[in-house]
Amino acid sequence: KLLKRNRICLSVFAVVLALAGAQGLTPAHHLSLPDVARLQSLLSQQFTDLESAYYSVLGLTKLGAAVSDHKQVCRFIKSQLDPTSIDSVFFAAEASQAISGCEIPVSNETRDILLAAVSEDSTMTQIHRAVSALSSLGLPVASQEVVGALTARINKEDNVMAITSALQTAARLSKQAELGGILEEIEDLTARLDDLGGIYLQFEEGLEATAMFVTAAYSLSDHVDMEPPLKEDQVIQLVNSIFSKKSWDSLAEAFSVASAAAALSNNRFHVPVFVSAQGPATVSHSQPTLQLLVTDVMSQPLASANVLVESAYAVASKSIILNQAPFTLNDGVFELNFMSKQPASGYYQFTIAVTGDSRLVANHVELKVKVSTEVAVANMDLSVVDKDQSIGTKTTRVDYPSKAKSSFTADSHQNFAMSFQLVDVNTGVELTPHQTFVRLHNQKTGQEVVFVAEPDSKNLYKFELDTAERKSEFDSISGTYSLYLIVGDATLENPILWNVADVVLKFVDEEAPATIQAKTLYVPKPEIQHLFREPEKKPPTVVSNTFTALVMSPFLLLLILWFKLGANISNFSFSPSTILFHVGHAAMLGLMYVYWTHLNMFQTLKYLAIIGGVTFLAGNRMLAQKAVKRYVS
Amino acid sequence: MSNSVISVISRFLEEYSSSTPNKLKVVDAYLLYILLTGALQFLYCLLVGTFPFNSFLSGFISCVGSFILAVCLRIQINPQNKGEFLSISPERAFADFLFAHTVLHLVVMNFIG
C-alpha cells in the first residue's frame, strides 16, 4: 500500500515538474569544491574526546572522504569508552560503525542501561542516543516501545532539536512499527521554518538545527519510503540557508552541514541541482564552446543527467536562436558549441533543463551567455571641409593602426570631419559598440577634450569638429592636438585606442592662459554660514506693560458698576453643595492656569473630568435648591 | 436731525434704567466690560503689531466668545422672554453658561501658547 502511494506521488511529482517548466527558485549557495575541502579539513582535526571523534569520523564518512588510520581511531575510541554513560556508548558505537574492523565489546550491564533509557522519563536526546547505540551495536530494540516513548516525549519537549532527534530515532526502528505519527512531525516542523525574503528558510534556532532537521527528515522519509512534504522551492530555500555559511564555528555545526550535504545529494526524493558555467559564461571565435558544470549540492557531478538548452534568445532582439539543443558530456563537463550557430555578438538568455532523474530539484536554470567578438575599424576617412564649401574637400584614408602621415589644419572657417565604420572581424557585420569616443589631447598643455561619435542610419560613424562652435571646450587654445579614437564594449575582446592623426586647431581671439588650471574639484569649498532663524522683534517692555494695565482696567469699571447697581452676595447660603460648587469652580479656573504653565491637553482633560464632574454635581444640587427657593417665594 | 438722535438716545437711556430688572443690568455691566477688554486688545494689535499672533487671537476670541455667551444668558434669563424658553429655567441657563465657558477657556488656554 505504501509502495503504491509512493509511486503515485512520484508520478504526480514528475508531471508537476514537467508542467512547471518555467522558473522556480534556483540555489544561490552550495558547497563548492574549496568549501568541501575546508569542511573536510575542519573535520580532520585531531580529536580530543569521544564526541569530537564521533563528529569527525561520521562527518568525513558522510562527505565521502577517507578517515585516516582506522586502527588508531579504533584504539582511541576503545580507550575513551565509558560503558556506564549512554552518551559515551553512543559516540563510540556510531564512530566504530563508520570505520571498518572496529568492534566495541558490550557487556550486559551496558545493554541494560541502554534499554532502560527507552522510557518517557528520559530526555529525547537520551532516547535517541540509546536507540542509535543499540542499533549500531546490533542489539535488539523494541520498536513499538520506542515509538511510545518518543510520542510521549514529543508532547513534553516541543523544541526543534528534540523533534529532530525523534525523527532520527524513528529512522533506526523497524519498518513494521507505527511511524506515521512521528512522520507527521516533519510537516509540523516545516511550518515552523522562517522564510527570509523568499530566499532562505531556516529555524530561528540556527544553522545546526536547520541542517539536522533536513538530515533527519530525509533519513526518515527514505526509511519509510514516503516523500517528505517539502515543496521544491522550500528545498532550495533550505539549501540556501544551510550552505550560505562558509566557515563553521564548531565541530557539531560542521558535522550538521556535512550530514545535510550528504542527505541532499543522496536521498530517494529530492536532489537539488546546481548548474554553473565553468569560467565566465562567454563564447567567442577563440572559445566557441559553452561549458557547464552540473553538480549536486556537494559539487559532485551528476552521474546520469541529460542537459539541454530548452530555448535561447538574444536579449536585444528577442529572436530565438536555439531550441532544444543538447549538451554533450565531455570529461565531466557539459559542452555546447554555440558559435556554430553563428550568433551575432551580444547577450543571450539561455533556459537550461537538466533531466534524466525524477528526483532532480531546481533543474530549470536561466543563464545569461555573452558572445564576444573582435572589432575592426574600416574606411577611416579624415578631411578638412571649408564651411562655405567653396574649396573641395580633400579626404585622407588612414588604416589602423598606422597614423596619418601629415597633420590636418583647421581654423575658424573650416570643419574637421571624420567618418569610419566599425565591423565585426569574423562576420563583417556592422557594429555599434557602447563606447565610441574621439579624444583630442593637447601635448603641450595637457588639455584633453572628448567627444562622442554617433552612427547614422546606415551604421556609418561620423564626427565633425566645428572649430568656431567648439572653442569653449578648448578654452580657445590653439595648437597641435593628437586625435585618438577610443572604441570599447562589454562584448568586444579588443578595445581600440588609436592615435589616428594630429590636428592643428587655430582659434580666433586666443586667450592668455598658457597653462591649464586643473578644475578645482577636490579643494575645500567655501564654508557655508548657517543663519539661524532670527527671533521676531518684540515691542519694548514699557509698551507691553502699559497695555497690560490698560486691558485690566475695564475690570475695575465692572466692579464699580456692579457696586453702583447694588449687586451683592447677601443671598449666599452656606450649604455643602454651594461651598463644594464654588471650590470646584475655583479649582477649574486654577486648572486652566496650571494647564497654561505646565500640563498638556490630555492631562488637563483628565483632571477636568474629575473636578468638573464634582463641580457639576454640586452645582446641579445648588441650582436646584435655588430654583425651589424661587418657586416657593 | 442731531436733535432727534439725542432725544432718542436720552429716551432710550430713561426707559432702560427704569424698566430693566437689576439682574439684567448686572449682566449688561459685564457685557460692557468684555466689550472694552476686547476693544483694547484689538487696539494694541493695531498699534503695536500682531506678535505673538496666536496669543492675540486667543485673547480676542475669548472676549468675543464670552460676549456671545453672556448675551445668550441675558436673553434666556430675561423674564419678558419666558414664553420662548419654557423648558429652560434661569438656573439651567446659568449652568449652560458655565459649561460653555469651561469649553471656551479650555480652547483659549490651549491656543494662548
Side-chain angles (χ1 to χ4, degrees), chain A residues 163-220:
Chain A
I163 302 184
T164 304
S165 298
L167 295 173
Q168 284 280 30
T169 318
R172 309 295 286 260
L173 301 175
S174 149
K175 291 189 202 181
Q176 262 70 46
E178 279 291 317
L179 300 173
I182 302 186
L183 194 63
E184 281 170 8
E185 294 295 330
I186 300 181
E187 202 168 341
D188 289 348
L189 276 185
T190 313
R192 288 211 233 173
L193 289 160
D194 295 326
D195 186 327
L196 301 177
I199 302 192
Y200 298 101
L201 199 61
Q202 59 198 49
F203 286 116
E204 62 176 15
E205 284 84 351
L207 171 62
E208 203 179 321
T210 315
M212 290 316 287
F213 162 67
V214 169
T215 314
Y218 282 104
S219 171
L220 183 58

Side-chain angles (χ1 to χ4, degrees), chain A residues 536 538-539 543 547 550-551 554-555 557-558 561-562 565 567 581 585 588 592 595-596 601 605 623 627 630, chain B residues 22 25-26 29-30 32-33 36-37 40 44 47-48 51 89-91 94-95 98 102 105-106 109-110 112-113:
Chain A
E536 288 217 27
K538 283 199 280 229
V543 178
F547 267 94
L550 215 59
V551 164
F555 188 63
L557 177 67
L558 177 71
L561 280 175
W562 274 354
L565 282 169
F581 167 75
H585 194 227
M588 282 197 334
M592 287 298 143
Y595 174 36
W596 182 38
M601 180 62 98
L605 284 178
L623 286 174
R630 189 165 53 83
Chain B
N22 233 12
K25 282 195 194 155
V26 166
Y30 175 70
L32 181 67
Y33 152 66
L36 284 176
T37 312
L40 281 169
Y44 171 85
L47 288 180
V48 186
F51 180 77
S89 64
E91 285 77 28
F94 183 64
L98 283 182
T102 310
H105 277 91
L106 203 62
M109 286 320 226
N110 188 28
I112 205 165

Side-chain angles (χ1 to χ4, degrees), chain A residues 27 43 52 62 137 166 240 351 428 452 531 568:
Chain A
L43 289 168
S52 43
K62 295 216 185 210
L137 294 170
N240 287 341
T351 307
V452 179
L531 274 176
N568 53 49

